Amino acid sequence: RRLWRETNVDWEGEFRTPLTDFTSMPRPLDGVAPFVWHGSIRSPQIAEQAAYYGDGYFHNNIFWPIDHTAKMVALYRERFAHYGHGTPEQAIVGLGGQFFAAETQAKAIEAYTPYFRNSYVYQGASLAEMTEHTPLAVGTPEQVVEKYLTYRDAVGDYQRQAFNIDMGGIPHLEVMHQLEVLGTRIVPALRAELESSRPDGVP
């Protein structure tokens, strides 16, 4: 942060060689430093750090149930307000997610099952269990949208939603198709619903 704000910096720390009369290049455009996201899955210390600086908190929750996600985001929001950066509702939150879409839920499940079984991170869990207890959504675009709208209900209005769509060896052509569905059907529907009901004063 000093390197974004200051030039000719002298600094000494624990994990790298010291800096002497150092100026970082290129400088932040118009003097505005990049926005920082602190990514975490289960570490409350990261939520605390993001809140302390007033930065964004990205809970990459693709394998975690919603109650864990809600608890971590609530901690970040409470500490964000504690440090004087705004109300809890004004804290900047991002969530992880994962989906596979087809024209019917049966087709989506049939097509995605081999990739699900091929992904080592799912060993020991069934597809039905993962879609019930985690953000993994396998179904029609409308079903994906319906599931992700529930996350706003659980964590409040949030600003970023990331999607993982290429796990388990999904072929490139299918990944591109999923990206098209995401961009033309899922994101517009989510954005319309979430933005239309976002309260005033909430970014």
Side-chain angles (χ1 to χ4, degrees), residues 79-200:
R79 300 302 288 169
F80 180 93
H82 168 81
Y83 289 116
H85 299 298
T87 67
E89 295 76 20
Q90 292 172 321
I92 309 298
V93 174
L95 298 181
Q98 189 176 7
F99 79 94
F100 188 92
E103 288 307 309
T104 68
Q105 186 176 45
K107 288 181 179 179
I109 291 171
E110 181 182 9
Y112 183 67
T113 294
Y115 309 127
F116 176 84
R117 291 182 178 152
N118 193 44
S119 181
Y120 70 93
V121 296
Y122 292 131
Q123 298 303 314
S126 70
L127 178 57
E129 289 171 326
M130 293 304 289
T131 54
E132 180 180 356
H133 297 294
T134 78
L136 176 61
V138 180
T140 66
E142 293 75 21
Q143 287 173 316
V144 174
V145 169
E146 184 180 352
K147 177 164 186 167
Y148 278 88
L149 288 176
T150 67
Y151 279 79
R152 188 258 316 267
D153 298 333
V155 305
D157 288 282
Y158 62 104
Q159 288 68 37
R160 294 290 183 274
Q161 176 66 63
F163 289 102
N164 184 345
I165 59 174
D166 65 348
M167 287 182 62
I170 297 177
H172 177 73
L173 189 62
E174 183 59 49
V175 170
M176 298 306 291
H177 172 67
Q178 294 296 316
L179 279 172
E180 181 180 4
V181 172
L182 178 67
T184 59
R185 298 178 64 178
I186 295 172
V187 167
L190 278 174
R191 184 172 287 151
E193 179 67 28
L194 295 174
E195 294 302 318
S196 67
S197 58
R198 190 179 299 273
D200 292 340

Side-chain angles (χ1 to χ4, degrees), residues 44 47-48 51 57 59 66-82 87-89 91 93 95 151 154-157:
E48 177 75 19
Y57 176 61
H59 189 257
I66 188 60
D67 57 341
H68 172 77
T69 301
K71 184 170 84 170
M72 295 291 284
V73 172
L75 170 65
Y76 161 68
R77 290 187 186 280
E78 187 272 322
R79 300 302 288 169
F80 180 93
H82 168 81
T87 67
E89 295 76 20
V93 174
L95 298 181
Y151 279 79
V155 305
D157 288 282

